[in-house]
Amino acid sequence: MVRQATGRVVQIQGSVVDVEFPADDLPTIYEALEVLPPTGEPLILEVQKYLGEGWVRTVAMDTTDGYSAASRFVVQERQSP
């Protein structure tokens, strides 16, 4: 089963991406998230830390060029192979 939630990128610092989720729908630590932009390839993030207020800190597995804070993306749990 794939859990799907809408997250909002709130801050990007290099490969560190902070994402806001509804407080009752936070992903788990080390969960792989797939960010689906309107165009282009998905960006994979790994949850590293809870920051409070519904925010999680993630690390991007690829470049974050072209992504901006306050953009909305569909974020879903990445399925295991």
Side-chain angles (χ1 to χ4, degrees), residues 46-66:
E46 182 180 271
V47 178
Q48 296 294 306
K49 184 177 183 180
Y50 295 123
L51 299 175
E53 302 298 321
W55 289 25
V56 295
R57 178 151 293 159
T58 69
V59 174
M61 300 293 122
D62 202 354
T63 183
T64 57
D65 291 347

Side-chain angles (χ1 to χ4, degrees), residues 1 3 8 10 16 20-21 26 48 51-52 67 71 74 78:
M1 184 174 126
R3 185 182 68 79
R8 182 175 69 92
V10 291
V16 177
E20 182 179 33
F21 286 93
L26 292 174
Q48 296 294 306
L51 299 175
Y67 289 84
S71 296
V74 174
R78 187 165 168 82

Side-chain angles (χ1 to χ4, degrees), residues 14-54:
S15 64
V16 177
V17 180
D18 294 344
V19 182
E20 182 179 33
F21 286 93
D24 62 343
D25 199 17
L26 292 174
T28 59
I29 299 293
Y30 303 125
E31 183 173 348
L33 305 176
E34 191 172 62
V35 180
L36 305 172
T39 60
E41 292 294 314
L43 176 65
I44 305 303
L45 305 174
E46 182 180 271
V47 178
Q48 296 294 306
K49 184 177 183 180
Y50 295 123
L51 299 175
E53 302 298 321

